[in-house]
Amino acid sequence: VLSISVLYVVYLRQLFVVLHALESNILPVARDLCTEINLNKEHSIWSYVWRAFESFLFVSTGEALEELAKSNLTKTDHNFNNELMTKACKGTLARMTMPKMWALAGENVPAIAIFTIGLGSILFLPTVAHALHALFVPKNKPRRDVNRSTDPFEKLRKKLEIRVEEQFQDFHKELAEEIKQAKQEALNEAARVQKEASA
């Protein structure tokens, strides 16, 4: 449930990104570019965390993106400079904040409601159905808990045990009879030898 909730929040964030882009007529990639530049220039906790993470990368994304922004923006506006780019990244191209998300939520209630119902049906309903199934449908009993009287393999096993037991008893009787007969023959032979010796 936790992973599904996190996934829902991620998708909801993407919905607000799209709504913000439609309202401002600015592509999200422009805001992502400015966010990257701001994180490399600011002195906040998140900036230090981001720069620490970026230090493990093989390339310096901050410098590369800043040069890319300069080269593309100066082609369309020859008066563009670093100061104007900084103002733009702090103003119209700034990343979407939580107050802006709340404002978008109030302005786009039907879209968010449809999104919530649709995504909820895709993400949450299968999980709820699985939980209800596990709660109300009895699970298959383990092999050791199966009623042995109705188990066909158990019936076959019992028949084999009975047959083996009968054969073992028959063999035991035959063996006992042969031993008894051998003893009797030995006694008879001993008596005959003794009788011949006395004669």
Side-chain angles (χ1 to χ4, degrees):
V1 176
L2 179 61
S3 60
I4 293 177
S5 301
V6 172
L7 187 61
Y8 173 78
V9 172
V10 171
Y11 280 122
L12 187 62
R13 169 75 181 182
Q14 293 302 311
L15 173 65
F16 281 111
V17 168
V18 173
L19 292 175
H20 194 196
L22 292 174
E23 182 192 49
S24 61
N25 200 26
I26 298 175
L27 289 174
V29 66
R31 300 184 190 280
D32 294 339
L33 180 62
C34 277
T35 299
E36 171 75 17
I37 294 173
N38 289 335
L39 286 173
N40 281 277
K41 288 186 175 182
E42 293 175 351
H43 299 284
S44 62
I45 296 177
W46 292 112
S47 298
Y48 290 120
V49 171
W50 175 254
R51 285 196 288 270
F53 167 75
E54 197 179 39
S55 63
F56 292 99
L57 301 179
F58 292 105
V59 294
S60 177
T61 57
E63 296 177 2
L65 288 175
E66 189 170 358
E67 291 298 325
L68 178 64
K70 288 179 184 179
S71 61
N72 283 276
L73 292 173
T74 51
K75 290 178 182 178
T76 57
D77 186 359
H78 296 287
N79 296 321
F80 187 84
N81 52 37
N82 287 339
E83 184 179 355
L84 291 175
M85 184 173 68
T86 302
K87 288 182 179 179
C89 287
K90 295 291 186 181
T92 57
L93 297 178
R95 67 188 300 272
M96 182 174 55
T97 58
M98 188 60 69
K100 184 61 181 177
M101 290 180 62
W102 283 111
L104 289 170
E107 296 170 1
N108 300 275
V109 175
I112 295 176
I114 294 172
F115 173 84
T116 301
I117 294 172
L119 188 62
S121 301
I122 296 173
L123 294 180
F124 289 99
L125 282 183
T127 304
V128 174
H130 180 72
L132 292 176
H133 179 272
L135 183 63
F136 292 106
V137 177
K139 296 180 179 179
N140 293 330
K141 294 182 179 180
R143 185 72 183 175
R144 61 179 179 275
D145 295 335
V146 175
N147 187 357
R148 294 185 179 273
S149 61
T150 60
D151 189 357
F153 294 101
E154 181 63 20
K155 291 181 179 179
L156 180 61
R157 187 184 68 82
K158 285 185 176 180
K159 288 182 180 180
L160 290 174
E161 287 181 352
I162 294 172
R163 185 65 180 274
V164 170
E165 183 68 20
E166 290 176 351
Q167 290 180 354
F168 178 77
Q169 289 177 0
D170 294 340
F171 173 76
H172 188 268
K173 288 179 181 180
E174 292 177 0
L175 182 62
E177 188 67 25
E178 289 179 359
I179 292 174
K180 184 179 179 180
Q181 186 177 357
K183 286 182 177 180
Q184 188 64 37
E185 291 178 355
L187 290 173
N188 294 337
E189 182 67 20
R192 186 182 64 79
V193 171
Q194 186 177 4
K195 187 177 180 179
E196 290 179 353
S198 60

